[in-house]
Amino acid sequence: MRKCNRCHKQATLHITEILGEDQFEEHHLCEQCAHEYLYESPMGKKSPSPATTDDDEETAELNTRECPHCGLRLIDFRKSTRLGCPHDYEVFAEELNPLLENLHGETRHCGKTPRRLPQARQQQSELARLRRQLQSAVLQEAYEEAARIRDQIRQLEGL
Amino acid sequence: MNLDALTSTTGEWLRGTGPESDIVISTRIRLARNLASFPFTHRATPQQRAEIESLLRDRITRLDLPHPLRYVSVAALAPLDRQLLVERQLISRELANGEGPRGVAFDDREAVSIMVNEEDQLRLQVMRSGLALEQAWHEIDHLDDLLEAKVCYAWHEQYGYLTACPTNVGTGLRASVMLHLPAIGLTRQFEKVLRSLQKINLVVRGLYGEGSRASGDFFQVSNQITLGRSETTVLSELQGVVSKILSYERNARAALMAEKRMELQDRVSRALGALQHATMMTSDETMELLSSVRLGINLGLLDDISMDAVNELFVQTQPSHLQKLVGGPLDGEERNAARARYLRTRLRHTA
Ligand SMILES: [Zn+2]
Ligand SMILES: [Zn+2]
């Protein structure tokens, strides 16, 4: 069994990166480190992200800004390379766009779209509205109200 | 849930039929999808994860499909059974080793699987024998349509299908082709393959994610880009690269047959001999020998042994299959002895 180059888990991905003519580098990584590797390598090579060029205070502020829906902070994303919820793509759009550009060479989707898009979009905003209501009902300890909203959410999700 | 019955067979994708099956083992396409109204899996509370699982389980089992899916709760499985599903490529290692409510639905052909609460809440997967990107795409596209009619996907006008990791956002599509390239390995032309991969960002990995380059000459080629390129564009780029690799491998095979036929005959016959007679056999060595035998069958250097049987053995000699087939837990030397015993029994009639 081969160990991951970065930690001590079992290496499951063997990535060969081409550096130039007849020159390549092998990486043996576990699933998680490989994920990080794939995500970070284009960033490391191209221009640094805007956050790293700012002074420390601004960086700190940026890193602690959080998504109002799931509470994810940019610093959490930098650590785990996972976003917290679908809203994060908008909340952190400014920071994500250069990353997406580096990863994919594009920042705009091209391809399949959900068939029931208009209906789905409407439903999505309705669901978001109900979830906000639910949250405030819970905060106000209005449990009957909360239960009613939860039923509505379930019904909508179940179509 | 008893999964033991699975061990004696393999999924249809390992039949060894299908287009270009002398080189292409299988084609796999997966789509990553999430629900609009929940946090992504790793950020969901245990209660939300349970809610997501029961919602998706309900929708998935109600899909109207020609081959119905059965749902297995991965959280409720013993570690050995989880490993078994990994070896059959029905679930990822990440799902097997994860925590909390999660599961997988698959059909009796093992051609379709849907993972629930993986890194993304839904990971749809279609497997095909041989090179069948277009066929696999049609099947998964349809499956995705059926599911989308029953749940509300996380979707964004600019970014497409939203995923937990930005490496998958957009189409959420990862298409992989598993290739057997023994002649390229023997003639040391691997850098040719790497060069053809360079332009479109593909990743090379070993079969079953275990072992290294040397182990069995199996490579998986897949796309990395998911944003800004349509599914059909990505698939045709992949098809183009695969065709190129196929021609390198075929040329290398032809050159070996023309110039080193006796050496090659010796190599494949020895490989079969070792598999039929050895008393200890590691997983890596098994892969290497089976790889040679597979090449021998394809070049007509070995008769009396079927491609089906060889393809099956690749899966059945993996640790948890072996453990199920011979009964009782095994480790280290015991496992290598059991593997050799199993190989001897399976290959005995062909001597
Ligand atoms: Zn690692
Ligand atoms: Zn969020």
Side-chain angles (χ1 to χ4, degrees):
Chain A
M1 169 181 128
R2 193 155 199 157
K3 287 204 173 142
C4 172
N5 296 159
R6 297 191 175 188
C7 67
H8 294 289
K9 278 186 269 176
Q10 183 181 356
T12 55
L13 275 129
H14 310 284
I15 297 169
T16 311
E17 185 160 322
I18 300 169
L19 304 167
E21 270 311 283
D22 289 318
Q23 218 194 344
F24 42 83
E25 201 176 83
E26 284 193 40
H27 305 272
H28 303 278
L29 303 169
C30 71
E31 200 88 30
Q32 199 187 333
C33 293
H35 212 104
E36 283 166 19
Y37 164 82
L38 288 173
Y39 151 76
E40 80 189 1
S41 67
M43 266 189 96
K45 279 173 199 151
K46 294 185 186 170
S47 60
S49 77
T52 54
T53 57
D54 289 333
D55 61 68
D56 289 350
E57 219 169 285
E58 253 179 272
T59 310
E61 199 185 294
L62 204 65
N63 278 337
T64 52
R65 189 154 63 84
E66 59 173 60
C67 165
H69 305 275
C70 72
L72 183 96
R73 296 164 308 165
L74 206 55
I75 191 167
D76 302 323
F77 170 65
R78 295 225 156 99
K79 274 189 205 139
S80 71
T81 75
R82 307 284 198 284
L83 292 163
C85 80
H87 301 283
D88 297 356
Y89 280 92
E90 286 212 333
V91 174
F92 302 113
E94 213 179 299
E95 292 83 11
L96 282 174
N97 280 334
L99 170 63
L100 292 172
E101 174 81 41
N102 280 337
L103 284 170
H104 302 284
E106 297 279 344
T107 58
R108 185 163 286 279
H109 173 61
C110 167
K112 187 169 181 176
T113 57
R115 273 165 202 266
R116 15 170 237 115
L117 196 54
Q119 189 196 342
R121 201 183 291 136
Q122 206 176 21
Q123 194 182 347
Q124 223 164 304
S125 61
E126 176 69 4
L127 273 170
R129 191 183 62 79
L130 286 169
R131 288 203 172 267
R132 275 197 303 275
Q133 275 186 5
L134 177 63
Q135 210 167 12
S136 68
V138 172
L139 282 175
Q140 289 160 25
E141 300 184 7
Y143 295 116
E144 263 177 53
E145 169 80 354
R148 194 183 56 76
I149 300 170
R150 190 177 289 273
D151 284 346
Q152 266 181 289
I153 291 175
R154 292 224 170 105
Q155 207 175 358
L156 203 60
E157 267 160 1
L159 297 168
Chain B
M1 174 68 58
N2 190 346
L3 299 177
D4 292 4
L6 293 180
T7 51
S8 58
T9 61
T10 55
E12 264 186 30
W13 60 272
L14 250 176
R15 287 177 304 195
T17 56
E20 323 284 1
S21 61
D22 56 330
I23 298 174
V24 182
I25 308 278
S26 61
T27 298
R28 167 162 57 162
I29 299 185
R30 75 110 161 99
L31 293 176
R33 299 287 188 256
N34 289 281
L35 299 175
S37 53
F38 286 93
F40 295 132
T41 312
H42 78 110
R43 197 107 190 143
T45 63
Q47 199 202 331
Q48 284 172 320
R49 281 194 210 195
E51 230 176 290
I52 294 164
E53 191 199 21
S54 77
L55 178 95
L56 291 176
R57 178 182 186 148
D58 173 72
R59 300 305 182 275
I60 290 167
T61 47
R62 281 199 277 146
L63 290 176
D64 187 20
L65 295 167
H67 297 267
L69 303 175
R70 74 162 164 164
Y71 189 90
V72 177
S73 161
V74 172
L77 289 180
L80 185 63
D81 285 323
R82 290 180 204 162
Q83 192 53 38
L84 188 81
L85 295 179
V86 173
E87 288 173 8
R88 300 180 84 80
Q89 305 202 16
L90 288 167
I91 66 172
S92 62
R93 254 173 243 274
E94 192 166 354
L95 191 79
N97 302 334
E99 51 187 45
R102 63 198 190 284
V104 62
F106 57 90
D107 67 327
D108 55 355
R109 303 168 302 161
E110 298 179 32
V112 172
S113 94
I114 304 179
M115 285 188 275
V116 171
N117 279 344
E118 219 255 19
E119 176 184 309
D120 295 299
Q121 287 148 7
L122 282 163
R123 285 282 176 96
L124 284 56
Q125 173 182 287
V126 165
M127 298 275 283
R128 286 270 175 229
S129 191
L131 182 61
L133 284 163
E134 213 182 296
Q135 234 188 335
W137 167 244
H138 285 311
E139 182 158 359
I140 204 163
D141 185 29
H142 179 61
L143 182 66
D144 183 46
D145 287 345
L146 292 178
L147 254 179
E148 193 234 312
K150 293 183 189 294
V151 297
C152 188
Y153 282 158
W155 161 265
H156 189 278
E157 201 65 24
Q158 181 185 347
Y159 302 118
Y161 294 95
L162 302 179
T163 54
C165 184
T167 50
N168 297 316
V169 75
T171 58
L173 175 138
R174 185 86 70 229
S176 311
V177 177
M178 182 77 79
L179 300 159
H180 182 218
L181 307 174
I184 285 176
L186 283 171
T187 53
R188 311 199 179 279
Q189 298 181 70
F190 200 72
E191 71 287 358
K192 252 190 183 176
V193 175
L194 292 175
R195 234 174 266 137
S196 67
L197 298 181
Q198 190 175 17
K199 293 186 189 85
I200 59 166
N201 259 321
L202 296 169
V203 164
V204 179
R205 60 185 284 188
L207 182 63
Y208 303 117
E210 260 186 335
S212 58
R213 234 193 217 188
S215 138
D217 302 306
F218 292 94
F219 299 93
Q220 184 175 288
V221 179
S222 48
N223 68 299
Q224 282 302 293
I225 290 175
T226 56
L227 188 64
R229 266 184 241 192
S230 72
E231 292 85 352
T232 45
T233 306
V234 163
L235 294 174
S236 77
E237 282 174 350
L238 187 57
Q239 177 87 31
V241 167
V242 169
S243 307
K244 216 183 255 176
I245 300 174
L246 290 181
S247 73
Y248 294 151
E249 173 66 18
R250 293 227 164 85
N251 289 341
R253 288 184 184 187
L256 283 174
M257 284 297 272
E259 292 153 29
K260 296 186 172 167
R261 187 184 172 123
M262 279 174 65
E263 210 178 295
L264 200 59
Q265 177 73 62
D266 182 60
R267 186 188 178 89
V268 303
S269 305
R270 273 169 191 271
L272 183 58
L275 289 167
Q276 283 169 330
H277 298 287
T279 55
M280 295 278 278
M281 195 61 85
T282 66
S283 172
D284 276 2
E285 190 181 4
T286 307
M287 292 288 265
E288 278 184 58
L289 295 173
L290 285 172
S291 167
S292 291
V293 167
R294 197 178 185 279
L295 178 66
I297 298 171
N298 277 324
L299 295 178
L301 299 171
L302 296 173
D303 338 301
D304 297 338
I305 172 162
S306 77
M307 189 61 88
D308 277 26
V310 173
N311 284 342
E312 244 173 55
L313 287 173
F314 280 115
V315 174
Q316 289 172 338
T317 54
Q318 302 285 310
S320 45
H321 273 78
L322 199 61
Q323 199 157 316
K324 291 261 185 191
L325 287 163
V326 304
L330 299 169
D331 52 50
E333 292 199 338
E334 244 180 61
R335 184 188 288 166
N336 292 342
R339 182 177 291 115
R341 226 170 18 248
Y342 184 70
L343 285 163
R344 286 202 304 276
T345 335
R346 286 292 303 274
L347 296 168
R348 193 169 43 204
H349 328 281
T350 64

